Amino acid sequence: VIFEVPDIVQYQNELRLIHLISVIVVSVLLVFIIDVTTTRLIMRPLEQMMEIIKYAEAGNLESLPQSYTSGEIGRITLSLVRMLRQLGESHSKRIAALGQLAAGVAHEIRNPLNSIGMTAQYLKDVLLKCCISLLDSPHGKDEPYGFCIQPSLQVFWNILYQQSPFLQVPEQSFYIPIP
């Protein structure tokens, strides 16, 4: 094939144009494929992981998604969810144990306080029956002699129940809330 000189220049320009168009089309296709692949394989699983982290920060572990994407990020997300659930169960067990410990300590404190209170009440009744004069009291006419024990017990009861949110006040006790 014999070309004339003007045809060769035109042919070279057409080849350059075809190459330029091919490069542009391939570049656009690569950008599109990379964008779709990145979004599907990386961004969505990472967004799902961020959603799980937000649920965990809010303490809402029951409403975590149950399905996860396949792939490395999906496996990491599944491991994260398992770990969060185990931490939640462990935390619940520790809080329950702490509550039981507080109840046990309060019980051990409450028993001697009840004994002291009942003994003080008994002594008060015995002394009143024995006709001890109210004038002998260092506290005046309002309180028989020696019954400053009950206000001290009241201080202990107030400390016990105001400082421990895990405990409930028994129905019959010396506890009177301090305003």
Side-chain angles (χ1 to χ4, degrees):
V1 176
I2 301 178
F3 293 107
E4 292 182 23
V5 174
D7 289 339
I8 292 179
V9 172
Q10 181 183 359
Y11 179 72
Q12 284 178 342
N13 286 338
E14 286 175 1
L15 280 178
R16 286 181 185 149
L17 182 62
I18 289 172
H19 282 123
L20 179 66
I21 291 173
S22 303
V23 168
I24 290 173
V25 168
V26 168
S27 298
V28 168
L29 284 174
L30 281 175
V31 166
F32 179 73
I33 290 171
I34 289 172
D35 181 54
V36 169
T37 305
T38 303
T39 300
R40 187 171 154 257
L41 295 177
I42 297 174
M43 294 307 293
R44 284 185 190 155
L46 287 177
E47 287 171 356
Q48 187 179 28
M49 188 181 289
M50 291 301 295
E51 183 179 330
I52 289 169
I53 291 170
K54 286 179 185 176
Y55 280 128
E57 286 176 347
N60 193 3
L61 297 178
E62 290 79 32
S63 61
L64 292 175
Q66 297 299 322
S67 62
Y68 307 101
T69 59
S70 61
E72 190 67 26
I73 297 175
R75 286 190 294 273
I76 291 171
T77 303
L78 181 61
S79 297
L80 174 68
V81 168
R82 285 182 187 153
M83 181 185 67
L84 288 172
R85 287 189 176 138
Q86 288 173 352
L87 284 174
E89 290 172 7
S90 173
H91 181 71
S92 297
K93 288 177 183 176
R94 287 182 182 183
I95 292 296
L98 181 63
Q100 289 177 347
L101 176 67
V105 168
H107 176 74
E108 294 301 323
I109 292 173
R110 197 174 22 217
N111 283 345
L113 289 178
N114 278 335
S115 296
I116 293 169
M118 288 187 306
T119 303
Q121 183 67 38
Y122 175 74
L123 286 174
K124 180 179 178 181
D125 293 342
V126 167
L127 291 176
L128 287 176
K129 286 180 184 177
C130 291
C131 301
I132 292 183
S133 171
L134 292 176
L135 297 176
D136 294 339
S137 171
H139 300 287
K141 295 182 179 183
D142 296 334
E143 187 176 344
Y145 183 77
F147 287 100
C148 58
I149 294 174
Q150 286 182 328
S152 299
L153 284 176
Q154 185 60 48
V155 170
F156 284 122
W157 280 108
N158 288 331
I159 290 171
L160 181 65
Y161 287 107
Q162 287 179 352
Q163 299 299 323
S164 183
F166 297 108
L167 302 177
Q168 296 177 354
V169 178
E171 290 183 23
Q172 290 186 348
S173 69
F174 293 103
Y175 174 70
I176 300 171
I178 297 175

